[in-house]
Amino acid sequence: MSLRQDGATALDWAERYLARVGDLPVLARVEPGEIRRRLPAVPPDGAEPFASILRDLDEVLMPGITHWQSPRFFAYFATTGSEAGILAELLTACLNNVGILWRASPVLQELEEVTLDWLAELIGLPAGWHGHLENGASLSTLGALAAARQAKPGHRVVAASEHAHSSVDKACRLLELELRKVPVDDVFRLRPDALDLEGACAVVATVGTTSTTSVDPVAAVADACEKEGVWLHVDAAYAGSAMVCPEFRWAFEGIERADSLVVNPHKWLFVPQGCSAVWTRRPEAFRDAFSMVPEYLRTPDDVVSFSEYGPELGRGFRALKLWTVLRCQGRAGLQAQIREGVRLAELFEGWVRDEPGWDLCAPRPFSVVCFRRDASDEQNEALLERVNAGGEIFISHTRLNGRYVLRLAVGNARTTEADVRRAWDVIREEAAR
Ligand SMILES: *Cc1c(COP(=O)(O)O)cnc(C)c1O
């Protein structure tokens, strides 16, 4: 195969895809098993030309793609694989470095150190924290809770709000820790007065919860943690990116007292999937939990390898795409994108507020609007299914105080005011049907 010729065709495909992705049905229109049935059950004996991959991508795979790159993707948390990030992924695969230890790729580790310092500065963290990248927030939180468990032997309880992400539940299950759910106030924030730290090794506070993007009171939780010597982990997987804008930093009040923090640049910072930043004030606790250096990886180099701070041995060169995106956007570019996402969500929120027969269901600190039709749960659920089946937009749902709630998340960098306006029109048209 020819890297130059086939590469040019692939790049051409990518450019055309991004130009037309807004016209494709956002949610894949296939039944479970349908894509699988269209694919041969056995691999080819002979080599096939690369062109046949692109052909099958169009003809066989495309119907099974839910278009996360669509400007009308408003479900879960909308993300963006930016152009800079896409090209960085190409170069990453080209270099194919494997960060098992420092000497296996000095640049993988040292670019990661520098880029995490940059990102810390961009989102207003104190200088000097130890940062590294994991594949996703689930692994970042697993790592942080493993460190917390190591730091307080004999204490096996983790406290987190009932609105904390399910990755906290999963980490506790894997680490054999007991998760104690803390009730929330009327706007879905953890209630510090309801924190019981008996037997606890960690508290997880969330800045930007998954259902409503509510913000737990980090400073008040830090007070309680400091009194009891309990590790404070802050999950800001989504909202952490917004901290590039000073006007959102209120949500990080008290952050300097956290023991660890996770922010996902692959969520709202325009970096392709597979890039979660975790910082800690106590790197030695991570090292205690994860360091494992067998004879065949021992070297005389006077340096601690990043694989000693997390569950992975072979680590990908994830920093390259983050570094590329930070440089190609710059602070001002990142701020402008975040502000536009929040502005569009605020517009949508205003339309819902002004429309009789519709209710807002939670405050909107960032770019996610929780709303519902003044109708039964079944009617709201049926509305969501009809809206998504139409293909023009894709939204998701949650449940608040037992009621079914629709959720519109702005976050794709290609989303315009016209896209958000169209979303509201589609939702109202379907509701009227
Ligand atoms: C998205 C999200 C996660 C999970 O992130 P992954 O990278 O998919 O593991 C965890 N916590 C919060 C608050 C999130 O928004």
Side-chain angles (χ1 to χ4, degrees), residues 100-106 109-110 287 293 297-305 308:
I100 51 178
L101 69 171
W102 177 83
R103 88 165 35 178
S105 181
Q109 177 159 332
E110 294 186 19
R287 207 176 155 198
V293 187
L297 297 180
R298 275 186 212 286
T299 69
D301 302 329
D302 182 21
V303 58
V304 183
S305 301
E308 292 181 56

Side-chain angles (χ1 to χ4, degrees), residues 16-356:
R16 277 185 298 116
Y17 172 71
L18 292 177
R20 72 194 165 100
V21 64
D23 302 326
L24 302 172
V26 190
L27 178 62
R29 297 172 142 168
V30 287
E31 297 299 323
E34 197 176 324
I35 297 295
R36 191 184 168 133
R37 275 193 300 277
R38 290 188 202 175
L39 293 164
V42 292
D45 285 326
E48 295 188 60
F50 183 74
S52 60
I53 303 298
L54 288 184
R55 192 195 58 228
D56 283 356
L57 187 53
D58 280 324
E59 293 174 7
V60 184
L61 302 185
M62 204 55 143
I65 292 179
T66 291
H67 296 285
W68 285 73
Q69 294 278 52
S70 169
R72 292 184 181 174
F73 185 107
F74 298 112
Y76 317 120
F77 284 111
T79 62
T80 310
S82 60
E83 283 80 354
I86 293 167
L87 293 178
E89 289 276 30
L90 173 70
L91 301 175
T92 302
C94 174
L95 294 166
N96 200 32
N97 266 217
V98 186
I100 51 178
L101 69 171
W102 177 83
R103 88 165 35 178
S105 181
V107 73
L108 183 151
Q109 177 159 332
E110 294 186 19
L111 188 69
E112 194 165 313
E113 289 170 0
V114 170
T115 308
L116 274 275
D117 285 351
W118 281 14
L119 185 56
E121 200 276 332
L122 278 166
I123 64 174
L125 299 182
W129 281 15
H130 184 281
H132 77 272
L133 293 171
E134 294 286 354
N135 201 55
S138 301
L139 278 181
S140 297
T141 290
L142 178 73
L145 294 183
R149 183 181 73 167
Q150 198 76 18
K152 206 164 164 76
H155 291 68
R156 311 284 295 192
V157 171
V158 173
S161 110
E162 48 188 325
H163 277 251
H165 189 267
S166 61
S167 56
V168 179
D169 301 63
K170 195 186 264 189
C172 287
R173 190 203 286 176
L174 289 172
L175 296 168
E176 298 190 354
L177 297 169
E178 177 199 331
L179 180 56
R180 184 179 290 154
K181 298 248 168 121
V182 185
V184 293
D185 64 15
D186 57 350
V187 285
F188 313 108
R189 300 174 301 197
L190 179 147
R191 276 177 40 206
D193 62 294
L195 256 184
D196 166 12
L197 295 185
E198 176 80 42
C201 61
V203 176
V204 180
T206 311
V207 172
T209 58
T210 308
S211 282
T212 69
T213 73
S214 62
V215 175
D216 290 341
V218 174
V221 176
D223 287 341
C225 287
E226 275 167 16
K227 210 183 291 166
E228 301 292 330
V230 168
W231 186 287
L232 171 57
H233 175 61
V234 175
D235 180 358
Y238 154 73
S241 297
M243 304 305 141
V244 299
C245 302
E247 67 269 30
F248 298 117
R249 296 257 176 92
W250 59 267
F252 257 10
E253 200 196 326
I255 199 71
E256 68 285 353
R257 295 156 70 195
D259 295 286
S260 56
L261 163 70
V262 52
V263 174
N264 273 4
H266 72 205
K267 205 167 245 173
W268 198 13
L269 218 59
F270 322 109
V271 176
Q273 171 62 21
C275 187
S276 173
V278 49
W279 287 273
T280 182
R281 273 197 297 145
R282 297 168 67 182
E284 69 292 345
F286 277 72
R287 207 176 155 198
D288 286 347
F290 289 109
S291 182
M292 176 73 66
V293 187
E295 182 54 38
Y296 43 83
L297 297 180
R298 275 186 212 286
T299 69
D301 302 329
D302 182 21
V303 58
V304 183
S305 301
F306 267 21
S307 54
E308 292 181 56
Y309 294 98
E312 291 181 318
L313 175 61
R315 315 175 68 251
F317 193 3
R318 288 182 280 254
L320 187 63
K321 60 185 171 184
L322 177 57
W323 184 65
T324 304
V325 170
L326 295 185
R327 290 185 62 187
C328 291
Q329 299 253 1
R331 189 193 307 266
L334 298 170
Q335 289 175 339
Q337 294 271 23
I338 295 280
R339 286 181 180 134
E340 178 64 0
V342 174
R343 185 186 76 85
L344 295 177
E346 193 177 351
L347 265 182
F348 186 90
E349 180 189 40
W351 298 332
V352 176
R353 185 183 293 117
D354 292 345
E355 187 83 6

